Amino acid sequence: MKTVISSPLRLVVGLLAAAGPALAFAQAPDKGDTAWMLTSTALVLLMSVPALALFYGGLVRSKNMLSVLMQVFVGFSLITVLWCIYGYSFAFTTGNAFFGSTTRVLLNGVFDSATGMFALGATFSKATPMYEIVFVAFQATFAAITCCLILGSLVERVKFSAVLLFLVIWFTFAYIPVAHMVWFWAGPDAYTDASVVDATNATAGLIWQWGALDFAGGTVVHINAGVAGLIGAVVLGKRVGLGRESMPPHNLTMTMIGASMLWFGWFGFNAGSALEANGFAALAFMNTFLATACAVLSWTFAEWLLKGKPSMLGAASGAVAGLVAITPAAGNVGIPGAFVIGLAAGVVCLWGCTGLKKIIGADDSLDVFGVHGLGGILGALLTGVFNAPSLGGPGLVTDWVTASTGYPGIAAQLFIQAKAVGLVVVWTAVVSLVGFYVVKAVMGLRVAEEHEREGLDITSHGERAYTG
Protein backbone atom coordinates (compact mmCIF):
# COMPACT_ATOMS: atom_id res chain seq x y z
CA MET A 1 0.00 0.00 0.00
CA LYS A 2 1.21 3.50 -0.78
CA THR A 3 1.62 5.63 2.31
CA VAL A 4 -0.42 8.76 2.88
CA ILE A 5 1.68 11.84 3.35
CA SER A 6 1.33 13.82 6.54
CA SER A 7 4.43 16.02 6.26
CA PRO A 8 7.13 16.52 3.63
CA LEU A 9 10.34 15.94 5.57
CA ARG A 10 12.53 13.01 6.51
CA LEU A 11 15.58 12.15 8.61
CA VAL A 12 18.98 12.03 6.92
CA VAL A 13 20.17 8.43 7.01
CA GLY A 14 23.81 8.20 6.02
CA LEU A 15 26.07 7.51 3.05
CA LEU A 16 25.02 5.02 0.39
CA ALA A 17 28.18 2.94 0.64
CA ALA A 18 29.12 3.61 4.23
CA ALA A 19 27.68 2.91 7.66
CA GLY A 20 25.05 5.57 8.28
CA PRO A 21 23.95 6.80 11.71
CA ALA A 22 20.57 5.06 11.50
CA LEU A 23 19.63 3.32 8.25
CA ALA A 24 21.14 2.21 4.94
CA PHE A 25 19.59 1.78 1.50
CA ALA A 26 20.38 -0.97 -0.95
CA GLN A 27 19.47 1.08 -4.01
CA ALA A 28 20.21 4.50 -5.44
CA PRO A 29 17.46 7.14 -5.72
CA ASP A 30 15.15 6.98 -8.70
CA LYS A 31 16.34 9.30 -11.46
CA GLY A 32 12.82 10.49 -12.20
CA ASP A 33 12.23 11.46 -8.58
CA THR A 34 15.57 13.26 -8.50
CA ALA A 35 14.77 15.18 -11.67
CA TRP A 36 11.36 16.17 -10.31
CA MET A 37 12.83 17.42 -7.03
CA LEU A 38 15.52 19.46 -8.79
CA THR A 39 12.82 21.00 -10.99
CA SER A 40 10.63 21.72 -7.97
CA THR A 41 13.53 23.43 -6.23
CA ALA A 42 14.05 25.71 -9.21
CA LEU A 43 10.31 26.48 -9.28
CA VAL A 44 10.34 27.56 -5.63
CA LEU A 45 13.35 29.76 -6.34
CA LEU A 46 11.29 31.38 -9.10
CA MET A 47 8.57 32.09 -6.53
CA SER A 48 10.88 34.44 -4.65
CA VAL A 49 13.24 35.81 -7.24
CA PRO A 50 11.58 37.23 -9.24
CA ALA A 51 7.89 36.41 -8.55
CA LEU A 52 7.48 37.62 -4.95
CA ALA A 53 9.77 40.59 -5.59
CA LEU A 54 7.66 41.71 -8.56
CA PHE A 55 4.37 41.07 -6.75
CA TYR A 56 5.45 43.15 -3.75
CA GLY A 57 7.32 45.72 -5.83
CA GLY A 58 4.32 46.57 -7.97
CA LEU A 59 2.25 47.28 -4.85
CA VAL A 60 4.48 50.01 -3.42
CA ARG A 61 5.04 53.54 -4.68
CA SER A 62 7.55 53.94 -7.51
CA LYS A 63 10.08 55.65 -5.24
CA ASN A 64 10.36 52.43 -3.19
CA MET A 65 10.29 49.82 -5.93
CA LEU A 66 14.01 49.11 -6.01
CA SER A 67 14.20 48.90 -2.21
CA VAL A 68 11.65 46.06 -2.23
CA LEU A 69 13.57 44.22 -4.94
CA MET A 70 16.75 44.59 -2.90
CA GLN A 71 15.16 43.37 0.32
CA VAL A 72 13.81 40.23 -1.33
CA PHE A 73 16.89 39.54 -3.46
CA VAL A 74 19.45 40.01 -0.71
CA GLY A 75 17.24 38.55 2.02
CA PHE A 76 16.73 35.37 0.01
CA SER A 77 20.48 35.09 -0.53
CA LEU A 78 21.25 35.68 3.14
CA ILE A 79 18.92 32.95 4.35
CA THR A 80 20.19 30.50 1.73
CA VAL A 81 23.72 30.93 3.08
CA LEU A 82 22.61 30.62 6.72
CA TRP A 83 20.62 27.53 5.82
CA CYS A 84 23.73 25.82 4.52
CA ILE A 85 25.84 26.94 7.48
CA TYR A 86 23.56 25.86 10.33
CA GLY A 87 19.87 26.10 9.47
CA TYR A 88 19.50 22.73 7.80
CA SER A 89 21.39 20.97 10.56
CA PHE A 90 19.28 22.39 13.37
CA ALA A 91 16.02 21.88 11.48
CA PHE A 92 16.43 18.35 10.11
CA THR A 93 18.69 16.22 12.25
CA THR A 94 17.92 14.31 15.42
CA GLY A 95 18.05 16.44 18.54
CA ASN A 96 15.06 17.15 20.74
CA ALA A 97 11.42 18.12 20.16
CA PHE A 98 12.37 21.71 19.24
CA PHE A 99 15.83 21.72 17.61
CA GLY A 100 18.09 19.32 15.79
CA SER A 101 21.83 19.01 16.29
CA THR A 102 25.14 20.22 14.85
CA THR A 103 25.82 17.05 12.85
CA ARG A 104 25.17 18.73 9.49
CA VAL A 105 26.69 22.15 10.18
CA LEU A 106 28.29 23.46 6.97
CA LEU A 107 26.54 20.50 5.31
CA ASN A 108 29.14 18.16 6.75
CA GLY A 109 28.55 14.61 5.51
CA VAL A 110 26.14 15.46 2.71
CA PHE A 111 28.81 14.52 0.21
CA ASP A 112 32.00 12.55 0.85
CA SER A 113 34.63 13.80 -1.59
CA ALA A 114 37.03 11.04 -0.57
CA THR A 115 34.71 8.27 -1.75
CA GLY A 116 32.49 10.25 -4.14
CA MET A 117 29.42 9.03 -2.28
CA PHE A 118 26.30 11.09 -1.59
CA ALA A 119 24.32 10.85 1.64
CA LEU A 120 20.78 9.55 1.26
CA GLY A 121 17.55 10.28 3.11
CA ALA A 122 14.11 8.71 3.15
CA THR A 123 11.00 9.86 1.30
CA PHE A 124 7.40 8.92 2.06
CA SER A 125 7.69 5.35 0.81
CA LYS A 126 9.80 2.69 2.44
CA ALA A 127 13.04 1.76 0.66
CA THR A 128 12.71 4.79 -1.63
CA PRO A 129 15.66 7.08 -0.90
CA MET A 130 16.52 10.54 -2.20
CA TYR A 131 19.81 12.38 -2.33
CA GLU A 132 20.15 14.47 0.78
CA ILE A 133 21.84 17.27 -1.14
CA VAL A 134 18.68 17.66 -3.24
CA PHE A 135 16.57 17.81 -0.11
CA VAL A 136 18.88 20.46 1.37
CA ALA A 137 18.44 22.67 -1.69
CA PHE A 138 14.67 22.16 -1.81
CA GLN A 139 14.23 23.14 1.82
CA ALA A 140 16.61 26.09 1.48
CA THR A 141 14.12 27.71 -0.88
CA PHE A 142 11.33 27.22 1.68
CA ALA A 143 13.31 28.87 4.45
CA ALA A 144 14.36 31.78 2.25
CA ILE A 145 10.94 32.59 0.81
CA THR A 146 9.33 32.41 4.26
CA CYS A 147 11.67 35.10 5.55
CA CYS A 148 11.04 37.22 2.46
CA LEU A 149 7.27 37.05 2.93
CA ILE A 150 7.60 39.04 6.16
CA LEU A 151 9.06 41.99 4.28
CA GLY A 152 5.69 42.94 2.77
CA SER A 153 4.56 44.22 6.16
CA LEU A 154 7.58 46.51 6.56
CA VAL A 155 8.06 48.13 3.17
CA GLU A 156 8.52 51.84 2.48
CA ARG A 157 9.90 52.79 5.91
CA VAL A 158 12.27 50.11 7.24
CA LYS A 159 16.07 50.29 7.24
CA PHE A 160 17.80 47.82 4.96
CA SER A 161 20.32 46.96 7.68
CA ALA A 162 17.46 46.37 10.14
CA VAL A 163 15.82 43.97 7.69
CA LEU A 164 18.96 41.86 7.44
CA LEU A 165 19.60 41.69 11.18
CA PHE A 166 15.99 40.84 11.95
CA LEU A 167 15.96 38.06 9.36
CA VAL A 168 19.00 36.46 10.98
CA ILE A 169 17.33 36.51 14.41
CA TRP A 170 13.93 35.35 13.21
CA PHE A 171 15.28 32.62 10.96
CA THR A 172 17.36 31.21 13.83
CA PHE A 173 14.77 31.28 16.60
CA ALA A 174 11.43 31.09 14.74
CA TYR A 175 11.76 29.39 11.37
CA ILE A 176 14.23 26.67 12.33
CA PRO A 177 12.45 25.40 15.47
CA VAL A 178 8.99 25.59 13.88
CA ALA A 179 10.22 23.62 10.86
CA HIS A 180 11.74 21.04 13.19
CA MET A 181 8.62 20.79 15.34
CA VAL A 182 6.24 20.39 12.41
CA TRP A 183 8.23 18.36 9.88
CA PHE A 184 11.05 16.41 11.45
CA TRP A 185 10.65 12.69 12.12
CA ALA A 186 12.58 9.49 11.57
CA GLY A 187 11.05 8.50 8.23
CA PRO A 188 9.08 5.34 7.34
CA ASP A 189 12.12 3.07 7.13
CA ALA A 190 12.82 3.54 10.83
CA TYR A 191 9.53 1.84 11.72
CA THR A 192 10.69 -1.75 11.41
CA ASP A 193 8.35 -3.34 13.96
CA ALA A 194 5.96 -2.42 16.75
CA SER A 195 8.64 -2.57 19.44
CA VAL A 196 10.44 0.53 18.13
CA VAL A 197 7.44 2.76 17.43
CA ASP A 198 7.35 4.68 20.71
CA ALA A 199 11.10 5.30 20.78
CA THR A 200 11.10 6.35 17.13
CA ASN A 201 8.18 8.73 17.61
CA ALA A 202 10.00 10.34 20.51
CA THR A 203 12.80 11.51 18.21
CA ALA A 204 10.39 13.59 16.12
CA GLY A 205 9.48 17.26 16.40
CA LEU A 206 6.83 18.18 18.96
CA ILE A 207 4.04 19.08 16.54
CA TRP A 208 4.71 16.02 14.39
CA GLN A 209 4.35 13.90 17.53
CA TRP A 210 0.92 15.44 18.04
CA GLY A 211 -0.14 14.20 14.61
CA ALA A 212 -0.69 17.60 12.95
CA LEU A 213 -0.90 17.67 9.15
CA ASP A 214 1.04 20.24 7.14
CA PHE A 215 1.88 19.10 3.64
CA ALA A 216 3.93 22.06 2.41
CA GLY A 217 4.02 24.82 5.01
CA GLY A 218 0.73 26.27 6.24
CA THR A 219 2.19 26.57 9.72
CA VAL A 220 5.91 26.59 8.97
CA VAL A 221 5.74 29.15 6.15
CA HIS A 222 2.53 31.17 6.06
CA ILE A 223 1.30 31.43 9.65
CA ASN A 224 4.89 31.81 10.79
CA ALA A 225 5.61 34.68 8.37
CA GLY A 226 2.16 36.26 8.63
CA VAL A 227 2.27 36.67 12.39
CA ALA A 228 5.86 37.96 12.24
CA GLY A 229 4.83 40.54 9.66
CA LEU A 230 1.94 41.76 11.81
CA ILE A 231 4.19 42.11 14.85
CA GLY A 232 6.69 44.02 12.75
CA ALA A 233 4.04 46.39 11.42
CA VAL A 234 2.93 47.19 14.97
CA VAL A 235 6.45 47.75 16.31
CA LEU A 236 7.60 49.69 13.25
CA GLY A 237 4.61 52.02 13.16
CA LYS A 238 2.62 53.42 10.27
CA ARG A 239 4.05 54.98 7.15
CA VAL A 240 4.32 58.76 7.10
CA GLY A 241 1.15 60.22 5.63
CA LEU A 242 -0.92 57.03 5.78
CA GLY A 243 -4.59 57.96 5.72
CA ARG A 244 -3.85 61.51 4.60
CA GLU A 245 -1.92 60.91 1.39
CA SER A 246 -2.75 58.64 -1.53
CA MET A 247 -0.54 55.53 -1.61
CA PRO A 248 -1.81 53.47 -4.56
CA PRO A 249 0.21 50.61 -6.09
CA HIS A 250 2.48 52.06 -8.73
CA ASN A 251 2.34 49.14 -11.19
CA LEU A 252 -0.48 46.59 -11.01
CA THR A 253 0.70 45.07 -14.27
CA MET A 254 3.88 44.04 -12.49
CA THR A 255 1.87 42.74 -9.55
CA MET A 256 -0.26 40.60 -11.86
CA ILE A 257 2.88 39.19 -13.49
CA GLY A 258 4.31 38.43 -10.06
CA ALA A 259 1.10 36.71 -8.94
CA SER A 260 1.03 34.62 -12.11
CA MET A 261 4.64 33.55 -11.60
CA LEU A 262 3.85 32.70 -7.98
CA TRP A 263 1.05 30.42 -9.16
CA PHE A 264 3.42 28.74 -11.61
CA GLY A 265 6.23 28.34 -9.10
CA TRP A 266 3.86 27.11 -6.39
CA PHE A 267 3.49 23.79 -8.19
CA GLY A 268 7.08 23.09 -7.16
CA PHE A 269 6.33 24.30 -3.65
CA ASN A 270 3.30 22.03 -3.13
CA ALA A 271 3.64 19.14 -5.56
CA GLY A 272 7.38 18.97 -4.89
CA SER A 273 6.63 18.39 -1.21
CA ALA A 274 5.59 14.84 -2.11
CA LEU A 275 9.37 14.22 -2.49
CA GLU A 276 8.55 11.72 -5.25
CA ALA A 277 7.08 11.96 -8.74
CA ASN A 278 3.99 9.96 -7.83
CA GLY A 279 0.23 10.14 -7.37
CA PHE A 280 0.43 12.38 -4.33
CA ALA A 281 2.51 14.87 -6.28
CA ALA A 282 -0.24 14.81 -8.91
CA LEU A 283 -2.94 15.27 -6.24
CA ALA A 284 -1.08 18.23 -4.74
CA PHE A 285 -0.59 19.68 -8.23
CA MET A 286 -4.30 19.45 -9.07
CA ASN A 287 -5.42 20.79 -5.70
CA THR A 288 -3.05 23.73 -6.07
CA PHE A 289 -4.36 24.42 -9.56
CA LEU A 290 -8.03 24.19 -8.57
CA ALA A 291 -8.04 25.91 -5.19
CA THR A 292 -6.21 28.93 -6.59
CA ALA A 293 -8.71 29.37 -9.41
CA CYS A 294 -11.58 29.06 -6.91
CA ALA A 295 -10.04 31.73 -4.68
CA VAL A 296 -9.59 34.12 -7.62
CA LEU A 297 -13.29 33.81 -8.39
CA SER A 298 -14.53 34.05 -4.80
CA TRP A 299 -12.41 37.13 -4.02
CA THR A 300 -13.36 38.78 -7.32
CA PHE A 301 -17.09 38.26 -6.98
CA ALA A 302 -17.14 39.13 -3.29
CA GLU A 303 -15.30 42.38 -3.99
CA TRP A 304 -17.59 43.08 -6.94
CA LEU A 305 -20.60 42.62 -4.69
CA LEU A 306 -19.22 44.76 -1.86
CA LYS A 307 -17.52 47.55 -3.81
CA GLY A 308 -19.39 47.58 -7.10
CA LYS A 309 -16.30 46.85 -9.20
CA PRO A 310 -13.94 43.87 -9.46
CA SER A 311 -10.26 44.84 -9.34
CA MET A 312 -7.10 43.36 -10.78
CA LEU A 313 -5.47 43.75 -7.38
CA GLY A 314 -8.29 41.72 -5.87
CA ALA A 315 -7.95 38.94 -8.43
CA ALA A 316 -4.19 38.73 -7.91
CA SER A 317 -4.62 38.78 -4.14
CA GLY A 318 -7.23 36.05 -4.42
CA ALA A 319 -4.78 33.86 -6.29
CA VAL A 320 -2.19 34.21 -3.54
CA ALA A 321 -4.84 33.59 -0.87
CA GLY A 322 -5.84 30.34 -2.58
CA LEU A 323 -2.24 29.24 -2.92
CA VAL A 324 -1.60 29.95 0.75
CA ALA A 325 -4.69 28.15 2.03
CA ILE A 326 -4.20 24.99 -0.03
CA THR A 327 -0.52 24.67 0.96
CA PRO A 328 -1.00 22.63 4.17
CA ALA A 329 -3.78 20.63 2.50
CA ALA A 330 -2.30 20.03 -0.96
CA GLY A 331 -1.59 16.30 -0.63
CA ASN A 332 -3.76 15.81 2.44
CA VAL A 333 -7.22 16.46 0.97
CA GLY A 334 -9.18 15.32 -2.04
CA ILE A 335 -10.70 17.40 -4.81
CA PRO A 336 -13.80 18.35 -2.75
CA GLY A 337 -11.49 19.84 -0.14
CA ALA A 338 -9.70 21.92 -2.76
CA PHE A 339 -13.00 23.40 -3.94
CA VAL A 340 -14.07 24.42 -0.43
CA ILE A 341 -10.67 25.65 0.74
CA GLY A 342 -10.18 27.79 -2.36
CA LEU A 343 -13.63 29.34 -2.26
CA ALA A 344 -13.37 30.02 1.46
CA ALA A 345 -9.86 31.51 1.17
CA GLY A 346 -10.93 34.23 -1.26
CA VAL A 347 -13.72 35.48 1.01
CA VAL A 348 -11.90 35.08 4.34
CA CYS A 349 -8.69 36.75 3.15
CA LEU A 350 -10.65 39.61 1.55
CA TRP A 351 -12.15 40.24 4.97
CA GLY A 352 -8.70 39.90 6.54
CA CYS A 353 -7.35 42.65 4.26
CA THR A 354 -10.31 44.98 4.87
CA GLY A 355 -12.45 44.44 7.95
CA LEU A 356 -9.92 42.68 10.17
CA LYS A 357 -7.16 45.08 9.12
CA LYS A 358 -9.28 48.04 10.26
CA ILE A 359 -9.98 46.35 13.59
CA ILE A 360 -6.27 45.69 14.23
CA GLY A 361 -5.22 49.13 13.04
CA ALA A 362 -1.65 48.19 12.13
CA ASP A 363 -0.02 49.31 8.87
CA ASP A 364 0.57 45.85 7.47
CA SER A 365 1.52 47.48 4.19
CA LEU A 366 1.00 44.61 1.75
CA ASP A 367 -1.41 42.54 3.88
CA VAL A 368 0.97 39.78 4.83
CA PHE A 369 -1.13 38.78 7.83
CA GLY A 370 -4.45 39.16 6.02
CA VAL A 371 -3.37 36.84 3.22
CA HIS A 372 -0.61 34.61 4.58
CA GLY A 373 -1.41 34.55 8.27
CA LEU A 374 -5.18 34.26 7.99
CA GLY A 375 -5.04 32.10 4.86
CA GLY A 376 -2.54 29.78 6.51
CA ILE A 377 -4.74 29.42 9.60
CA LEU A 378 -7.79 28.70 7.46
CA GLY A 379 -5.95 26.12 5.39
CA ALA A 380 -4.38 24.41 8.40
CA LEU A 381 -7.73 24.02 10.15
CA LEU A 382 -9.64 22.86 7.06
CA THR A 383 -6.91 20.32 6.34
CA GLY A 384 -8.01 18.53 9.49
CA VAL A 385 -11.60 18.50 8.23
CA PHE A 386 -11.14 17.52 4.59
CA ASN A 387 -8.51 14.90 5.26
CA ALA A 388 -11.52 12.79 6.27
CA PRO A 389 -12.18 9.95 3.80
CA SER A 390 -15.91 10.65 4.14
CA LEU A 391 -15.24 14.08 2.60
CA GLY A 392 -13.02 12.81 -0.19
CA GLY A 393 -9.72 12.97 1.67
CA PRO A 394 -7.02 10.27 1.72
CA GLY A 395 -6.88 9.93 5.51
CA LEU A 396 -3.52 9.61 7.23
CA VAL A 397 -1.09 6.90 8.18
CA THR A 398 -2.00 5.45 11.56
CA ASP A 399 0.65 2.71 11.60
CA TRP A 400 3.99 3.31 9.87
CA VAL A 401 5.10 -0.27 10.46
CA THR A 402 2.38 -1.63 8.17
CA ALA A 403 1.62 1.65 6.35
CA SER A 404 -2.04 1.28 7.27
CA THR A 405 -4.25 4.35 7.06
CA GLY A 406 -7.16 5.72 9.05
CA TYR A 407 -8.64 8.92 10.42
CA PRO A 408 -9.25 9.89 14.07
CA GLY A 409 -12.44 11.81 13.32
CA ILE A 410 -13.04 15.43 12.34
CA ALA A 411 -13.28 16.78 15.88
CA ALA A 412 -10.11 15.02 17.02
CA GLN A 413 -8.01 16.03 14.00
CA LEU A 414 -9.36 19.58 14.03
CA PHE A 415 -8.29 19.90 17.67
CA ILE A 416 -4.79 18.67 16.78
CA GLN A 417 -4.61 21.19 13.92
CA ALA A 418 -5.78 24.00 16.22
CA LYS A 419 -3.12 23.12 18.80
CA ALA A 420 -0.44 23.29 16.13
CA VAL A 421 -1.72 26.64 14.87
CA GLY A 422 -1.86 28.04 18.39
CA LEU A 423 1.68 27.00 19.26
CA VAL A 424 3.12 28.44 16.04
CA VAL A 425 1.25 31.73 16.51
CA VAL A 426 2.53 32.16 20.06
CA TRP A 427 6.07 31.00 19.25
CA THR A 428 6.62 33.28 16.28
CA ALA A 429 4.87 36.23 17.95
CA VAL A 430 7.22 36.08 20.93
CA VAL A 431 10.35 35.60 18.82
CA SER A 432 9.30 38.38 16.44
CA LEU A 433 8.51 40.84 19.21
CA VAL A 434 11.86 40.23 20.89
CA GLY A 435 13.67 40.28 17.56
CA PHE A 436 12.23 43.60 16.43
CA TYR A 437 12.97 45.27 19.74
CA VAL A 438 16.53 43.94 19.73
CA VAL A 439 17.07 45.40 16.27
CA LYS A 440 15.42 48.65 17.33
CA ALA A 441 17.79 48.92 20.29
CA VAL A 442 20.89 48.03 18.28
CA MET A 443 20.44 50.14 15.15
CA GLY A 444 16.89 51.43 14.92
CA LEU A 445 14.16 50.11 12.64
CA ARG A 446 12.97 53.08 10.63
CA VAL A 447 14.67 55.39 8.19
CA ALA A 448 14.54 59.11 8.91
CA GLU A 449 11.27 60.83 8.01
CA GLU A 450 12.86 62.89 5.26
CA HIS A 451 14.32 59.73 3.75
CA GLU A 452 10.94 58.05 3.87
CA ARG A 453 9.34 60.98 2.07
CA GLU A 454 12.02 61.03 -0.60
CA GLY A 455 11.85 57.27 -1.06
CA LEU A 456 14.06 54.38 -0.05
CA ASP A 457 15.38 53.71 -3.54
CA ILE A 458 17.63 56.75 -3.61
CA THR A 459 18.16 57.30 0.13
CA SER A 460 19.00 53.68 1.04
CA HIS A 461 20.54 52.41 -2.18
CA GLY A 462 21.60 55.42 -4.22
CA GLU A 463 19.68 54.19 -7.25
CA ARG A 464 16.26 54.52 -8.80
CA ALA A 465 14.10 51.79 -10.23
CA TYR A 466 13.04 54.12 -13.02
CA THR A 467 14.95 56.88 -14.79
CA GLY A 468 14.12 59.33 -17.57
Side-chain angles (χ1 to χ4, degrees), residues 69-271:
L69 300 182
M70 276 289 290
Q71 289 172 20
V72 173
F73 201 85
V74 177
F76 190 94
S77 302
L78 171 65
I79 299 305
T80 298
V81 172
L82 295 181
W83 182 254
C84 294
I85 294 174
Y86 65 88
Y88 174 75
S89 187
F90 283 111
F92 297 118
T93 61
T94 304
N96 55 47
F98 304 96
F99 283 95
S101 69
T102 61
T103 55
R104 283 295 193 257
V105 166
L106 292 172
L107 303 186
N108 175 55
V110 171
F111 172 69
D112 187 344
S113 59
T115 63
M117 295 297 175
F118 292 87
L120 301 181
T123 59
F124 289 104
S125 304
K126 290 191 175 186
T128 307
M130 71 181 298
Y131 292 112
E132 182 184 359
I133 197 168
V134 176
F135 181 68
V136 171
F138 183 62
Q139 287 304 320
T141 60
F142 276 63
I145 193 172
T146 303
C147 291
C148 291
L149 290 175
I150 301 170
L151 304 176
S153 296
L154 317 175
V155 294
E156 300 198 304
R157 78 271 203 200
V158 68
K159 289 182 177 179
F160 184 64
S161 56
V163 162
L164 299 182
L165 179 57
F166 174 77
L167 290 185
V168 172
I169 296 170
W170 190 85
F171 166 72
T172 304
F173 298 105
Y175 185 84
I176 290 174
V178 170
H180 185 84
M181 286 190 284
V182 173
W183 281 337
F184 181 78
W185 67 304
D189 298 276
Y191 291 81
T192 53
D193 60 66
S195 64
V196 304
V197 169
D198 289 341
T200 304
N201 286 344
T203 65
L206 178 64
I207 294 176
W208 189 92
Q209 292 184 44
W210 291 349
L213 301 171
D214 187 351
F215 191 83
T219 50
V220 180
V221 176
H222 299 294
I223 298 173
N224 213 6
V227 172
L230 180 60
I231 296 296
V234 172
V235 176
L236 191 59
K238 298 180 180 181
R239 286 167 288 177
V240 173
L242 183 68
R244 301 188 307 274
E245 302 173 11
S246 178
M247 298 183 181
H250 89 280
N251 195 326
L252 284 178
T253 301
M254 196 169 293
T255 295
M256 187 274 175
I257 293 171
S260 303
M261 294 174 72
L262 281 168
W263 194 347
F264 177 73
W266 221 289
F267 290 117
F269 195 81
N270 284 357

